[in-house]
């Protein structure tokens, strides 16, 4: 997309936002409690992001059990995408007509699975169990159905599977945050899992202690907030593999903002270097590859600017932790570009322009003026990559990318609803929730509709 067109759209959006009243709110937050003691528990055994199902005692024994995941936003382009996380046994082994049984298993459809488990920004998944036993092909799509299938809860993995079916994540985090389970002599089990994620204002990652009886009754015994979401997770292009960093307490809001900004700007260096390599891998125009490299150089400068501002306000930025991962298929690259570039980075560039106009602090205003111009070029690169790919995609693929953008906009809308500290609105020029909603409305009408 021509960068001049983005500048024009941003200018129009900013004029529209001036009609929205500027509302201020105080610094609000909840105390984050120390994680639960898990020293007496063992790790839940996991396969492909879900509890293993190799230790289930089901009567009468099935021929096979599969744990399937329906991803609501994930490559490849089909939305939703279905895959088998893990399986045991041989499907349709004792069926009178194995081919018919297999066909019914392959076409098994459900309307809704277990409560969504979200690992932002990769997306959300709903899971269910698929079972064959003789000529029977069945789906088990909620905790009550899984409980009926398992009967007596005899093993730690059965307790973990029941907790997973009830909507608790057990396999997405590491260390003391990984799902834990413990068996007691009286036949009950303690399962520790998490819910939610910490990325965006108003989000949080919570840890839960569950008690599960032998009859399958589940009771939540304790809940602890592990991490409050950063309100600055929505700005800029985040690399795949970026790990969360624990935010500090309610110190100077400006220092916290620019420390988080510096970490994300540094992370964007990784994102653009990776993007350049992936564009080269998939035969993109050299001009796109060069623009990605230039964007990485811009982010080096942005990291230094925002880090100096963070230090000025008494905060020390944390370096980003980015897990090294293999280069991705083109499907993954385009989906990531649609969400991180065409939506989040585009909105981030508009926010930077808003700060350059409205920040009361002159140093912040000057810094954001330069960053805004760079980020506008980065957003333009995202749309250029989108335009490069479009002629090679089917109508279904293009519709899937549009749906991914729509979902990303919905996530942004949820993130910008939480009030900001007055110093961020006045000194740093960040848009209030009302202004942010108006900015999003303008971009949605012009770009994302």
């Amino acid at each position: 997309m021509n960068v001049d067109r983005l500048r024009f759209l941003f200018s129009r959006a900013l004029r529209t936002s001036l009609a929205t009243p500027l509302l201020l709110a105080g610094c609000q937050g909840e105390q984050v409690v120390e994680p639960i003691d898990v020293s007496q528990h063992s790790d839940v055994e996991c396969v492909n992001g879900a509890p293993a199902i190799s230790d289930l005692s089901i009567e009468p024994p099935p021929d096979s059990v599969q744990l399937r995941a329906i991803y609501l936003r994930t490559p490849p382009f089909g939305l939703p995408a279905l895959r088998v996380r893990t399986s045991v046994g041989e499907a349709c082994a004792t069926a009178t007509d194995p081919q018919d049984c297999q066909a019914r298993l392959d076409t098994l459809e459900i309307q809704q699975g277990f409560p969504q488990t979200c690992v932002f920004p990769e997306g959300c998944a709903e899971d269910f169990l698929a079972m064959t036993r003789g000529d029977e092909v069945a789906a088990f799509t909620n905790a009550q159905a899984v409980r009926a299938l398992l009967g007596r809860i005899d093993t730690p993995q059965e307790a973990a599977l029941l907790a997973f079916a009830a909507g608790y994540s057990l396999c997405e985090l590491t260390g003391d945050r990984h799902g834990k389970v413990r068996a007691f002599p009286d036949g009950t089990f303690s399962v520790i899992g998490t819910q939610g994620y910490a990325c965006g204002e108003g989000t949080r990652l919570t840890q839960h202690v569950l008690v599960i009886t032998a009859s399958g009754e589940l009771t939540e015994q304790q809940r602890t907030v592990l991490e409050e979401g950063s309100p600055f997770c929505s700005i800029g292009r985040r690399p795949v593999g970026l790990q969360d960093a624990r935010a500090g307490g309610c110190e100077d809001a400006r220092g916290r903002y620019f420390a988080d900004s510096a970490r994300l700007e540094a992370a964007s260096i990784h994102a653009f270097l990776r993007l350049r390599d992936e564009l080269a891998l998939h035969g993109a125009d050299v001009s796109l590859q060069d623009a990605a490299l230039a964007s990485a150089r811009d982010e080096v400068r942005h990291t230094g600017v925002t880090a100096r501002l963070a230090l000025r306000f008494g905060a020390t930025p944390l370096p980003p932790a980015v897990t090294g991962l293999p280069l991705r298929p083109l499907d993954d690259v385009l989906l990531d570009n649609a969400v991180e570039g065409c939506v989040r980075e585009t909105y981030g560039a508009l926010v930077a322009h808003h700060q350059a106009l409205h920040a009361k602090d002159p140093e912040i205003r000057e810094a954001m003026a330069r960053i805004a111009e760079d980020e506008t070029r980065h957003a333009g690169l995202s749309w250029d990559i989108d335009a490069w790919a479009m002629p090679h995609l089917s109508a279904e693929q293009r519709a899937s990318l549009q749906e991914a953008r729509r979902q990303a906009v919905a996530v942004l809308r949820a993130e910008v609803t939480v009030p900001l500290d007055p110093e961020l609105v006045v000194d740093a020029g960040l848009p209030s929730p009302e202004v942010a909603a108006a900015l999003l409305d303008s971009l949605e009408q012009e770009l994302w509709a």
Side-chain angles (χ1 to χ4, degrees):
M1 174 179 291
N2 189 297
V3 174
D4 287 336
R5 172 159 170 74
L6 274 182
R7 293 191 186 102
F8 170 76
L9 295 178
F10 289 170
S11 176
R12 186 151 64 183
L14 291 167
R15 286 198 302 271
T16 301
S17 72
L18 291 177
T20 304
L22 185 67
L23 302 179
L24 304 182
C27 180
Q28 301 175 15
E30 296 187 27
Q31 182 181 7
V32 178
V33 191
E34 288 301 313
I36 297 161
D37 179 17
V38 298
S39 59
Q40 300 302 311
H41 291 65
S42 301
D43 283 350
V44 171
E45 182 183 352
C46 295
V47 178
N48 290 329
I53 58 174
S54 56
D55 190 23
L56 307 182
S57 56
I58 300 173
E59 294 297 337
D63 293 331
S64 69
V65 178
Q66 297 178 348
L67 182 60
R68 296 182 171 189
I70 299 176
Y71 283 86
L72 306 182
R73 192 185 75 203
T74 190
F77 285 101
L79 293 171
L82 171 68
R83 75 183 181 105
V84 176
R85 288 187 187 264
T86 181
S87 63
V88 293
E90 181 181 350
C92 303
T94 64
T96 55
D97 186 343
Q99 289 185 338
D100 174 72
C101 173
Q102 186 65 55
R104 286 185 287 130
L105 178 63
D106 292 341
T107 57
L108 189 62
E109 294 184 358
I110 67 166
Q111 298 300 315
Q112 187 174 12
F114 305 155
Q116 295 180 14
T117 53
C118 295
V119 187
F120 191 87
E122 285 77 8
C124 301
E126 293 183 357
D127 295 80
F128 68 100
L129 290 177
M131 183 197 73
T132 69
R133 182 162 48 198
D135 292 330
E136 179 187 5
V137 176
F140 303 84
T141 60
N142 55 51
Q144 292 75 19
V146 171
R147 175 180 173 182
L149 173 67
L150 296 176
R152 181 181 172 84
I153 306 300
D154 298 309
T155 68
Q157 281 302 120
E158 288 185 340
L161 179 61
L162 187 58
F164 182 75
Y168 296 91
S169 295
L170 302 171
C171 299
E172 303 292 355
L173 300 169
T174 58
D176 286 346
R177 300 187 181 189
H178 184 88
K180 308 288 181 178
V181 63
R182 179 184 180 186
F184 290 97
D186 64 356
T188 62
F189 297 88
S190 172
V191 178
I192 300 178
T194 62
Q195 288 185 334
Y197 56 85
C199 186
E201 187 74 58
T203 63
R204 59 176 47 178
L205 178 68
T206 54
Q207 191 173 53
H208 305 256
V209 177
L210 313 173
V211 175
I212 298 178
T213 67
S215 62
E217 295 179 3
L218 185 154
T219 304
E220 186 172 300
Q221 190 177 54
Q222 184 179 348
R223 177 183 302 186
T224 302
V225 177
L226 288 179
E227 189 171 348
E228 296 281 2
S230 165
F232 318 116
C233 210
S234 63
I235 305 302
R237 179 183 286 261
R238 302 162 302 185
V240 61
L242 177 63
Q243 300 176 21
D244 286 335
R246 184 182 295 273
C250 193
E251 69 267 18
D252 189 295
R254 297 161 298 182
R256 187 169 68 250
Y257 169 74
F258 283 108
D260 280 331
S261 295
R263 184 180 75 89
L264 292 175
E265 296 283 11
S268 293
I269 301 170
H270 297 267
F272 280 114
L273 291 176
R274 180 187 184 87
L275 178 63
R276 179 201 58 177
D277 292 341
E278 290 176 331
L279 290 172
L281 174 66
H282 298 298
D285 298 341
V286 174
S287 61
L288 297 178
Q289 300 175 40
D290 291 344
L293 181 59
S295 298
R297 295 193 184 103
D298 291 339
E299 300 294 8
V300 173
R301 186 173 62 256
H302 298 175
T303 301
V305 170
T306 52
R308 285 192 293 273
L309 287 169
L311 292 171
R312 174 188 157 194
F313 292 110
T316 302
L318 295 174
V322 181
T323 302
L325 297 171
L327 298 182
R328 298 167 295 176
L330 181 59
D331 294 357
D332 301 50
V333 176
L334 296 180
L335 181 65
D336 184 67
N337 184 70
V339 172
E340 292 297 319
C342 295
V343 175
R344 304 184 73 90
E345 193 165 40
T346 300
Y347 176 71
L350 176 55
V351 169
H353 280 285
H354 187 278
Q355 292 180 264
L357 287 173
H358 295 282
K360 182 179 178 181
D361 185 291
E363 185 179 358
I364 295 175
R365 190 168 59 248
E366 181 180 352
M368 297 313 301
R370 179 62 183 273
I371 289 175
E373 183 57 29
D374 292 341
E375 296 295 346
T376 301
R377 291 200 312 276
H378 301 175
L381 170 61
S382 301
W383 289 99
D384 288 341
I385 293 170
D386 190 78
W388 162 73
M390 282 299 119
H392 309 290
L393 304 180
S394 67
E396 180 182 0
Q397 290 172 329
R398 290 193 291 271
S400 296
L401 285 181
Q402 177 64 21
E403 173 62 13
R405 286 194 291 267
R406 185 194 66 79
Q407 293 187 25
V409 173
V411 171
L412 267 181
R413 286 199 178 279
E415 291 176 0
V416 303
T417 59
V418 178
L420 298 176
D421 189 284
E423 291 178 326
L424 295 180
V425 177
V426 176
D427 289 350
L430 285 172
S432 68
E434 293 74 21
V435 172
L439 296 176
L440 282 173
D441 287 341
S442 180
L443 287 186
E444 186 163 26
Q445 293 170 11
E446 298 288 351
L447 288 174
W448 301 323

